[in-house]
Amino acid sequence: MPIPGGIAERARAAATGGSQYLNDLNPEQREAVEALDGAVLVLAGAGTGKTRVLTTRIAHILSLGRARPSEILAVTFTNKAAREMKERVGHMVGQIVEGMPWLGTFHAIGVKILRRHAEMVGLKPDFTILDVDDQIRLIKQILDAEGIDEKRWPARVLAMLIDGWKNRGLTPTQVPAGEGASFANGKGRKLYAAFQERLKTLNAADFGDLLLENIRLFREQPEVLAQYQQRFKFILVDEYQDTNVAQYLWLRLLGQSQGGVQKNICCVGDDDQSIYGWRGAEVDNILRFDHDFPGAKVVRLERNYRSTGHILACASQLIAHNQGRLGKTLRTEDVLGEKVQVTSAWDSEEEARSIGDEIEEAQRGGHKLEQIAILVRASFQMREFEDRFVTLGLPYRVIGGPRFYERAEIRDALAYLRVIHSPTDDLAFERIVNVPKRGLGDASLQCLHDHARKKRVSLTEAARAVVETDELKPKARGALRDLNASFVRWRKLNETLPHNELAEVVLDESGYTDMWQKDRSADAAGRLENLKELVRSMQDFENLAGFLEHISLVMDTDKGEGVDSVSIMTLHAAKGLEFDTVFLTGWEEGLFPHQRALDDQGRAGLEEERRLAHVGITRARKHARIYFATNRRIHGMWTTTVPSRFLDELPEAHVEVKEAQGAFGGAGYGGSRFDETGAFGSSYTTPGWQRAQRNKQDIASRGGGFGENSAPRYVPDGVLDDPGVDEAGAAFAEGSGGQAGQKPDSLARHSAKRGGGRRSPVTIEGELVGKSTGVSSFAVGDRVFHQKFGNGNVAAVDGNKLTIAFDHAGEKRVVDSFVERA
DNA sequence: CGGAGCGGGATTTTT
DNA sequence: TCCCGCTCCG
């Protein structure tokens, strides 16, 4: 019975007068909320109000008094999702729901249960949870103990195997004999067992164990399982398409029917948004739902409240190419809106430049940067955009990883430089006074602060004075004296040494680089890399003052959450988010779909990539802009790329083909069906295009892929010949003939540029060869500045092409429009 | 302990 | 191609 004045009570009160919250739902949503009994699968397409259904359902259960808050099990994947759900339920019910102890992530709830019964699985209630690093280190020890050559059989490989087994709910004895054989001559299983034993000795569990041990507990202790089965009157699962086998087994145990009556379990998800297969998620779980839970009710949410018509049409048509799906048809009552724009760029640099321009234009038109996102397939693509935006002074934010200048190590390094440059910068001084550790802790800092306040001087000044007194302990006093001396020395060096070299000296002499080199944590290497990158980027500036000013300007503009800024993130990180304008970048074979997904997973991999594309497109409310570059640096080598097959899968009637408006002409759709509309098919004579054509043919005849002969190769025949693709192609040709308006217009613009006789120039690292000639306004000896190479002197002039001796980058040939007078 | 020399790898990421 | 991580050696 509900506690008087408790959440359930309040919820019921809030719902009086005909359940207003139900009236706000559309019929399908309402059906999903009201179907409380038995097993229910809610197939919620992108933007159809999934979270709303989930939260309303909880409120509904509470308001009907069907269960107390503590009798509802609601699981999510991320803490963020759990937090949001808590908030939203609390909002609906009138207050924050402290009373829902079983709303949380799979892992959080798993730990909670496990701690209560730790002894039953050989642990103590206070067991520690190992992170990936500890896990690897432990496995290394085990390999060592077993005398296994870690070179042939790397610890990380075994860690992945074990993770995989745990994801599939397999204990060492359950691992199929054949699978254990794949590591260290059949020792895989034995090593897994040894690892588990070692964990128990250490009273520790890794992430996989949190669920695996739960399953073991439930299986071996039926009375414990029964206790939880009785407790949880309702089970709700978010993002069901992302569950792995272990999570599925766990849910099955808790939600299995009792006495012939199916327990109340409601899973919400979208098979079309399953993008975590590589980390153990089983799309099959959602595809098989009505098989696992016989008599399950399936509710489809297909009414999309997010995107305009053209965007939704593209997303739907694209995902329709997948075979393994339950099938939903998203629809909207919104206007058709803007077509999805597909733009080609010469290379990734032009892609970034072009998108930067588009964003600036949108911004001039009053578009909020907050409502713009750039989505990439892989994080290495981000650098180019960050670089460009820093140059433009365009505020941006990297989601799912700190931005370059915000990373701790960069800020520390900058703090050193700031103190050198302006000794009164107390914040900077405070930041690094004990980084790396030099025995100047809180007490010393307090002393400095007191001194500074009393004498009204800077901390640097105070430090100078304090070492002359005996206020500090000898050890701290010595350390501070050393630091003071270092800063004096560095300031002197700053007068003679180039500032980037100074930075190297400072980072070394301060012991800062050392600190990270000695650091064993996983990201230490990345941090050192970032520091190197920082030093390199300093070359682009005249002196320390100029550099610091630039940085502080950049930092100022993106400081704080409140600043209007563009979001840059991976497609994975974008799931669940939405923006007015979305730029989808790098739609090239090999990058997207990613070659590795194809190689490792074949058709399943391709379908997951396609779902990723679907997730990407459906993030956009009003404007979806797809980009691909014709050339991209892959593994350090410039490679001519082929446009993504996903482009050919978009419905032509909903797409507008454009061309990057950078300094180079776009290279067009080399080898894509988009060329075969006849509008400019024969005008492609550039070497790049022909190379692309050859590549595409090669790929088709070879059976796909970039590599030469890596063994398990994905054969795309089934895909290229897929009837769906042909339909798309046909629809495209038809559409382009019948659409006299927008399409030919954009094509005309495209071909006009082509026909203008300009050939696509070849770019290498900002060098440009073969652009139309003209007379340069620069003369030999001029001092110039280049965005990428920094300052230099003009050594020779040839038309508009300059040979410049850069101060740091050596001699380069560059087109004059790329430099400005220094 | 640190630097040179080498081989292998090079997506996506939450807990 | 480039960068990491490991090994080997002084």
Side-chain angles (χ1 to χ4, degrees), chain A residues 25 89 108 125 156 167 187 224 249 353 387 461 478 533 552 565 584 628 639 653 731 736:
Chain A
L25 302 173
V89 173
R156 27 180 328 112
N167 282 158
K187 290 207 186 107
V224 173
L249 290 170
R353 200 174 333 126
D387 281 355
E461 195 76 34
E533 179 66 29
S552 64
S565 48
L584 298 148
F628 68 91
T639 316
S736 103

Side-chain angles (χ1 to χ4, degrees), chain A residues 15-42:
Chain A
T16 49
S19 318
Q20 183 50 46
Y21 60 85
L22 288 179
N23 295 333
D24 293 342
L25 302 173
N26 70 35
E28 309 88 75
Q29 289 174 334
R30 186 165 176 156
E31 191 186 357
V33 166
E34 291 193 300
L36 293 183
D37 297 305
V40 181
L41 174 64
V42 181

Side-chain angles (χ1 to χ4, degrees), chain A residues 616-663:
Chain A
I617 296 172
T618 52
R619 298 310 96 195
R621 289 200 200 96
K622 299 182 186 133
H623 314 283
R625 306 202 167 160
I626 304 175
Y627 271 76
F628 68 91
T630 315
N631 294 280
R632 191 176 291 275
R633 214 175 165 154
I634 299 167
H635 306 328
M637 251 173 40
W638 281 101
T639 316
T640 298
T641 60
V642 177
S644 171
R645 69 189 75 189
F646 297 151
L647 291 169
D648 295 328
E649 296 174 0
L650 299 173
E652 192 267 350
H654 302 283
V655 168
E656 182 186 349
V657 179
K658 300 193 82 172
E659 164 182 1
Q661 312 190 347

Side-chain angles (χ1 to χ4, degrees), chain A residues 410-681:
Chain A
I410 299 299
R411 304 190 82 129
D412 289 337
L414 289 173
Y416 273 100
L417 297 172
R418 276 161 63 192
V419 175
I420 291 167
H421 178 65
S422 50
T424 54
D425 193 334
D426 280 3
L427 283 173
F429 185 90
E430 201 175 331
R431 186 179 175 96
I432 46 79
V433 67
N434 199 31
V435 179
K437 300 241 180 303
R438 37 174 86 90
L440 296 168
D442 289 345
S444 310
L445 195 61
Q446 193 56 51
C447 171
L448 285 178
H449 270 302
D450 291 346
H451 211 279
R453 209 174 308 126
K454 222 175 348 182
K455 298 269 165 69
R456 294 166 155 262
V457 293
S458 68
L459 288 175
T460 301
E461 195 76 34
R464 224 175 278 150
V466 163
V467 291
E468 300 306 322
T469 70
D470 52 5
E471 285 172 67
L472 287 178
K473 287 180 183 155
K475 225 173 151 188
R477 194 171 153 188
L480 192 58
R481 184 179 289 128
D482 287 348
L483 187 65
N484 287 339
S486 292
F487 272 115
V488 170
R489 192 172 63 249
W490 294 330
R491 280 190 199 111
K492 193 160 274 164
L493 270 177
N494 187 29
E495 290 162 21
T496 54
L497 214 59
H499 55 293
N500 60 313
E501 287 177 41
L502 172 77
E504 275 180 343
V505 170
V506 170
L507 290 174
D508 285 342
E509 290 188 356
S510 63
Y512 191 73
T513 315
D514 247 49
M515 181 182 91
W516 286 116
Q517 266 159 0
K518 288 194 184 108
D519 192 292
R520 299 280 160 135
S521 65
D523 53 5
R527 291 172 192 275
L528 286 166
E529 167 61 26
N530 291 336
L531 291 172
K532 259 194 237 164
E533 179 66 29
L534 179 76
V535 171
R536 215 181 316 155
S537 75
M538 289 176 75
Q539 292 180 2
D540 294 346
F541 297 87
E542 186 63 51
N543 53 39
L544 186 58
F547 173 71
L548 287 174
E549 191 188 327
H550 170 82
I551 295 305
S552 64
L553 284 175
V554 170
M555 295 240 294
D556 280 345
T557 50
D558 16 326
K559 205 185 285 171
E561 285 290 300
V563 178
D564 189 36
S565 48
V566 177
S567 298
I568 306 176
M569 68 190 94
T570 63
L571 285 160
H572 284 89
K575 199 173 93 167
L577 306 178
E578 56 182 82
F579 301 87
D580 284 342
T581 301
V582 170
F583 290 93
L584 298 148
T585 67
W587 281 44
E588 298 133 36
E589 285 292 305
L591 179 60
F592 190 42
H594 200 282
Q595 191 55 46
R596 187 125 176 213
L598 266 37
D599 286 344
D600 296 354
Q601 307 285 333
R603 163 156 233 130
L606 174 65
E607 297 211 338
E608 182 153 315
E609 295 287 296
R610 195 179 277 115
R611 290 193 290 268
L612 207 44
H614 176 254
V615 166
I617 296 172
T618 52
R619 298 310 96 195
R621 289 200 200 96
K622 299 182 186 133
H623 314 283
R625 306 202 167 160
I626 304 175
Y627 271 76
F628 68 91
T630 315
N631 294 280
R632 191 176 291 275
R633 214 175 165 154
I634 299 167
H635 306 328
M637 251 173 40
W638 281 101
T639 316
T640 298
T641 60
V642 177
S644 171
R645 69 189 75 189
F646 297 151
L647 291 169
D648 295 328
E649 296 174 0
L650 299 173
E652 192 267 350
H654 302 283
V655 168
E656 182 186 349
V657 179
K658 300 193 82 172
E659 164 182 1
Q661 312 190 347
F664 320 94
Y669 270 97
S672 160
R673 269 168 214 273
F674 280 75
D675 294 331
E676 293 159 17
T677 54
F680 48 83

